[in-house]
Amino acid sequence: MGKTTPDGITAEARYWIDDMYMITAIQTQAYRATGDKKYLERAAKTMVAYLEKLQQPNGLFFHAPDAQFYWGRGNGWEAAGMAELLSTLPKNHPLRPRIMKGYLTMMDSLLKYQGEDGLWRQLLDKAESWPETSGTGMFTFSMVTGVKHGWLAKKTYGPAARKAWIGLVNHIDANADVKDVCEGTNKGFSVQYYMDRKRITGDLHGQAAALWSAMALLR
């Protein structure tokens, strides 16, 4: 944050969708730890900048401006980041309506792309792509958080979140390792690039997302 852009975000912003959990989580936690509102301001301003740059009319997010694919975990980062920020951002904050609009638009779109097995795909809009668990875990966390805070209608999103949780649990093996987790992924430039990513068991991207979902359910 030593150098910022005219709109008040870090000049190092790369506009990769992953950033919207990485930046939001640490800035929100810094606010929770210190009470210093500058951290919330950083998180909120950055979130709005990324919403304007990456969210599409259908509510989903491109991986990056030059990687125009709806990567599952990347969208999961965005969903989880908005849920975390909205959980702490004051109701009278001037940027809250914009962030809430982005969140609600995304949640509505996710309902349409959820698979019959409860999971979302490696590429969200490609029904033929494989079920991916790290993104599913973060979507579950975000939906459960929204229902419990009253942002989302329980009758609509409660069943979707439950279906996702049951589907996710079905991808946990006897060693408590989550299966079908996309490997660490750079931005890609073809559908095939994302389809060919390795499906890992026990990767922390999937382990953590499943734990976040369990935590949200237990709150």
Side-chain angles (χ1 to χ4, degrees):
M1 294 299 297
K3 183 179 180 182
T4 58
T5 62
D7 52 1
I9 72 169
T10 175
E12 296 183 21
R14 59 182 181 166
Y15 289 102
W16 289 24
I17 198 173
D18 319 44
D19 304 345
M20 281 300 89
Y21 185 79
M22 317 311 174
I23 294 173
T24 301
I26 196 166
Q27 297 292 344
T28 302
Q29 291 286 31
Y31 167 74
R32 291 169 180 166
T34 66
D36 190 335
K37 292 182 179 179
K38 75 179 181 183
Y39 299 113
L40 270 187
E41 291 304 310
R42 289 176 181 175
K45 287 180 179 179
T46 307
M47 181 62 76
V48 169
Y50 274 63
L51 283 167
E52 295 294 334
K53 195 91 167 179
L54 294 175
Q55 190 172 33
Q56 302 306 301
N58 67 0
L60 303 180
F61 290 77
F62 286 153
H63 193 170
D66 59 346
Q68 298 183 357
F69 303 94
Y70 301 125
W71 178 40
R73 183 161 70 240
N75 276 263
W77 291 129
E78 181 69 47
M82 285 192 287
E84 276 289 279
L85 180 55
L86 289 167
S87 295
T88 297
L89 198 64
K91 291 183 178 180
N92 62 352
H93 192 283
L95 296 181
R96 185 180 176 87
R98 176 65 185 92
I99 297 168
M100 183 62 78
K101 178 183 177 183
Y103 169 82
L104 294 176
T105 304
M106 183 185 206
M107 293 300 106
D108 179 65
S109 186
L110 287 174
L111 291 175
K112 303 168 188 173
Y113 289 101
Q114 186 177 23
E116 287 300 316
D117 57 359
L119 276 71
W120 284 268
R121 270 43 196 169
Q122 164 71 345
L123 287 172
L124 297 176
D125 61 332
K126 305 296 182 185
E128 68 276 16
S129 66
W130 47 279
E132 202 282 322
T133 52
S134 66
T136 293
M138 286 189 275
F139 296 143
T140 307
F141 164 78
S142 189
M143 282 190 179
V144 171
T145 300
V147 169
K148 293 207 170 187
H149 279 278
W151 312 328
L152 299 175
K154 184 177 181 179
K155 287 185 178 180
T156 300
Y157 289 91
R162 183 176 186 275
K163 185 177 180 180
W165 173 249
I166 292 171
L168 186 61
V169 168
N170 285 334
H171 285 256
I172 300 176
D173 68 17
N175 297 316
D177 287 329
V178 180
K179 299 181 289 184
D180 297 310
V181 182
C182 177
E183 66 178 321
T185 298
N186 205 327
K187 61 182 180 179
F189 302 102
S190 70
V191 167
Q192 199 61 45
Y193 172 84
Y194 291 94
M195 298 285 268
D196 289 344
R197 306 312 291 158
K198 292 179 183 176
R199 301 162 67 167
I200 300 176
T201 296
D203 184 88
L204 295 183
H205 290 97
Q207 300 294 102
L211 288 172
W212 298 345
S213 295
M215 177 187 68
L217 286 164
L218 291 170
R219 278 175 175 165

